[in-house]
Amino acid sequence: MTLRINALIGAALLAAILLALLIGSVSLPLDRVIAALAGQAVPGDMLVVWQIRLPRALAAALVGAALGMSGAALQGLLRNPLAEPGILGVSATAALFATFTIYFGIATAGPLVLPLAAVGGALIATLLVAAAALRTRSVVTLILIGVGLSSFSVAVMALLMNLAPNPFSLADMVNWMLGTVANRSFENLAFAAPFLVAGVAILLAAGRGLAALSLGDEAAEGLGLNLKKQRLAIILGAGLATGAAVAIAGSIGFVGIVAPHIVRPFLRYDPARLLVPSALLGAFILVVADIGVRLLPTDSELKLGVVASLIGAPIFVWIAARRRLA
Amino acid sequence: MSLLRAEVLSYAVEDRHLVADASFDLERGMVTALIGPNGSGKTTLLRLALGLLAADDGTALIDGLSVTELTPVARARQIAYLPQMRPLVWPQPVRDIVALGRFAYGAAPGRLSATDSAAVNQAIASCSLEGFEERAADTLSGGELSRVHLARALAGETPLIVADEPVAALDPRFQHEAMRIFRKVAAEGRGVLTVVHDLALAARYADHVLWMKEGRIVAEGSPLDTFSTDRLDAVFGVNAEVRREGSAVRLDISGPA
């Protein structure tokens, strides 16, 4: 069953990525796109596919996958269907550090300065929450620390915008915070990839423990789960993956809540089996949303993060209203 | 070798002794009931004995090994623990919840070996849950859920089962059924330690009773030896009539003392 669902969503994801390669200001029919993918096309086609469209589609897919899996893992750990990758404060702290580089004008020094700062922020937030997890038994405490971190980061970001030296850097900050995968290069992806791969690997290795946690912390310990190790693994894994996602695309909300929620009933509500399908579906949702962003005939292109929130927030309310168990 | 041995376990929070100098020894083939009024430290004692809570003083030995040296998995293969609080968050099917009892053997609901599957099926059968396998947890009554959790504990097929008020939400028939399951487990040469609030059940089904009051074990022994009007008054503060009929003990509790 899990395999069939993975195959189904995986096939849909590949189709969506292919569709993303077909759409754009230069019209490229399917045969030319395929020729370009195979490296057999004229230089112009190659440039459009390999430098512009493929990195963008893959960026959307990677970010969606990272957020989908992190969301599923955190929901399992915190035993709450409304938990999302940002709940531990990782996204906001990463965004804050990225905003710093724009404010002080060092983001222009190189293409990797901003993602580097974002990953740095994500790591610091992750380590803070992990340190708290070693000291407390209560997951509610972790959530509250995450909320505190988020609020503080948002406050400092507001301060930086307030004090922005000129309208251009303010516009840069706002644009970055809205979240987008436009104009991403393979270089950007390659930079974030190691963090993403490490995070995903840690989450997958710790997946089985999430199944035990569905009985509650105490029963899970009784089942033979090392609670501390389990928490650390999920916090580190989700922190790394989310940090990588923010480094690529800025902050993009709600994918991490919605994707696990949609696949959960098909996986017998098992938090362990949920990880991979959530990642695939998160990737699919963002690739499709990004196609939508490019197709909508607006004067300035809509940002992916804005569209994701517009769709995601009502679904969030719907999920909250329909919860079956306390 | 005793299944679980507690030696002068003590635990205090802010100078309040929740458990003080508690010792007991669980043998194979016995059902042991842990009884005592609310707040007497029963749950804390269980958690100390299992190593889920670090004792201030004293040690607990599982099959001769100190709990502090056992890995969680090694402990879980010796003892199935059924805590009092059993919060479920996902509407999982019954079979998957029971399957979690096999966690310490590397299993998960999605991946059960033939041995795991057989143990799960047997646990479901012994708790009369056939036909419930695919029911979602949130469609079950409190009593049915209690049976699911009991089945989960049985599925581990551990030498010892430690249960915290396993029959609290059950109707009279299943209270007796659950205690009979424990008797069967004991008859197989395994052991059971269970907190029971219904004293008549404890008197009827336990081989050994641990009486707890204010963090201390104040008496222990067979129901026949330990149930007395004076002790029920001293430990629980109730007026009770105790009658001995052959090897059985009958209780009639008339009210608070």
Side-chain angles (χ1 to χ4, degrees):
Chain A
M1 189 65 191
T2 315
L3 273 181
R4 254 175 50 203
I5 285 174
N6 286 340
L8 198 74
I9 309 175
L13 173 61
L14 285 180
I17 291 177
L18 193 60
L19 185 64
L21 299 182
L22 290 172
I23 293 167
S25 49
V26 181
S27 102
L28 279 186
L30 184 60
D31 55 329
R32 279 167 68 188
V33 166
I34 290 172
L37 280 177
Q40 310 274 318
V42 294
D45 291 3
M46 296 281 284
L47 183 84
V48 169
V49 169
W50 284 95
Q51 301 294 321
I52 300 170
R53 294 186 190 172
L54 191 57
R56 179 170 185 162
L58 286 183
L62 287 179
V63 169
L67 295 176
M69 188 181 282
S70 301
L74 287 169
Q75 289 171 13
L77 177 74
L78 304 174
R79 306 179 347 103
N80 190 324
L82 299 173
E84 58 134 359
I87 199 165
L88 298 178
V90 175
S91 309
T93 314
L96 171 65
F97 276 57
T99 315
F100 263 120
T101 64
I102 299 174
Y103 180 84
F104 291 109
I106 41 180
T108 49
L112 291 184
V113 171
L114 192 144
L116 194 71
V119 166
L123 288 179
I124 288 174
T126 304
L127 291 179
L128 279 175
V129 179
L134 285 174
R135 291 166 154 267
T136 176
R137 283 191 62 85
S138 148
V139 288
V140 177
T141 310
L142 296 184
I143 295 176
L144 293 177
I145 289 172
V147 169
L149 263 179
S150 286
S151 309
F152 182 71
S153 298
V154 169
V156 177
M157 270 190 278
L159 178 70
L160 291 180
M161 289 181 182
N162 192 175
L163 301 176
N166 56 61
F168 303 109
S169 69
L170 180 62
D172 277 351
M173 286 184 217
V174 171
N175 270 334
W176 193 80
M177 280 175 65
L178 295 178
T180 175
V181 288
N183 307 320
R184 293 302 182 264
S185 66
F186 274 116
E187 199 188 5
N188 292 132
L189 300 188
F191 170 76
F195 299 99
L196 201 147
V197 168
V200 165
I202 293 173
L203 290 181
L204 287 177
R208 196 175 69 95
L210 291 175
L213 277 175
S214 58
L215 292 180
D217 290 347
E218 200 177 359
E221 269 190 295
L223 290 175
L225 181 73
N226 187 328
L227 203 56
K228 261 192 182 144
K229 263 194 193 162
Q230 180 69 24
R231 282 186 184 159
L232 281 182
I234 300 297
I235 290 169
L236 280 177
L240 287 170
T242 307
V246 177
I248 294 174
S251 49
I252 292 184
F254 294 105
V255 184
I257 300 178
V258 173
H261 183 79
I262 293 174
V263 288
R264 192 172 278 124
F266 301 102
L267 296 156
R268 301 166 69 90
Y269 297 89
D270 179 6
R273 276 175 282 183
L274 200 58
L275 293 180
V276 175
S278 298
L280 290 172
L281 186 65
F284 173 78
I285 291 174
L286 275 199
V287 172
V288 170
D290 192 47
I291 292 173
V293 162
R294 287 156 62 193
L295 287 180
L296 283 176
T298 46
D299 284 344
S300 62
E301 187 178 288
L302 286 181
K303 299 289 183 202
L304 183 58
V306 177
V307 175
S309 297
L310 281 175
I311 304 169
I315 299 182
F316 176 91
V317 174
W318 179 70
I319 296 171
R322 285 194 62 223
R323 284 183 71 177
R324 287 167 71 180
L325 284 164
Chain B
M1 189 75 72
S2 61
L3 288 171
L4 176 61
R5 187 184 165 86
E7 291 173 351
V8 290
L9 288 172
S10 296
Y11 182 76
V13 174
E14 291 169 0
D15 292 339
R16 216 179 94 78
H17 287 277
L18 301 185
V19 171
D21 302 327
S23 302
F24 61 78
D25 203 345
L26 302 180
E27 302 286 342
R28 287 175 184 276
M30 300 249 277
V31 173
T32 304
L34 177 58
I35 61 175
N38 294 136
S40 56
K42 302 184 293 293
T43 299
T44 308
L45 176 57
L46 293 187
R47 304 195 59 209
L48 290 172
L50 290 168
L52 297 178
L53 198 63
D56 295 338
D57 220 340
T59 51
L61 304 166
I62 294 174
D63 209 19
L65 298 167
S66 165
V67 283
T68 52
E69 284 158 30
L70 282 175
T71 63
V73 165
R75 182 198 61 227
R77 287 185 182 186
Q78 292 294 320
I79 303 179
Y81 175 47
L82 185 54
Q84 188 178 2
M85 299 292 285
R86 302 155 207 154
L88 284 170
V89 269
W90 314 112
Q92 291 169 292
V94 165
R95 193 182 157 78
D96 286 8
I97 297 172
V98 177
L100 284 172
R102 302 297 296 172
F103 186 82
Y105 301 89
R111 47 181 218 244
L112 295 174
S113 70
T115 322
D116 295 326
S117 262
V120 169
N121 289 340
Q122 209 193 334
I124 286 174
S126 37
C127 294
S128 314
L129 287 166
E130 294 110 325
F132 283 85
E133 287 96 335
E134 293 303 315
R135 281 275 294 276
D138 64 336
T139 66
L140 301 176
S141 72
E144 286 164 345
L145 262 182
S146 292
R147 278 151 60 200
V148 173
H149 287 290
L150 181 58
R152 192 270 294 164
L154 290 172
E157 297 185 330
T158 48
L160 177 64
I161 294 174
V162 172
D164 199 347
E165 290 192 41
V167 301
L170 296 177
D171 61 33
R173 181 181 158 188
F174 273 108
Q175 288 193 344
H176 284 269
E177 298 248 355
M179 295 308 283
R180 273 162 204 251
I181 290 171
F182 287 155
R183 288 251 44 105
K184 220 175 105 208
V185 167
E188 290 165 6
R190 296 150 72 193
V192 176
L193 170 62
T194 176
V195 172
V196 184
H197 267 304
D198 185 330
L199 297 176
L201 279 180
R204 186 178 176 103
Y205 289 104
D207 301 299
H208 196 79
V209 181
L210 303 171
W211 294 69
M212 212 170 169
K213 192 191 179 190
E214 289 165 2
R216 292 175 186 275
I217 293 178
V218 291
E220 65 171 310
S222 70
L224 209 54
D225 291 341
T226 55
F227 273 92
S228 68
T229 303
D230 289 348
R231 183 163 289 132
L232 284 165
D233 183 0
V235 174
F236 287 94
V238 291
N239 271 327
E241 191 187 331
V242 180
R243 282 172 291 127
R244 291 178 164 72
E245 296 171 3
S247 64
V249 179
R250 298 271 177 264
L251 294 181
D252 184 8
I253 298 173
S254 54

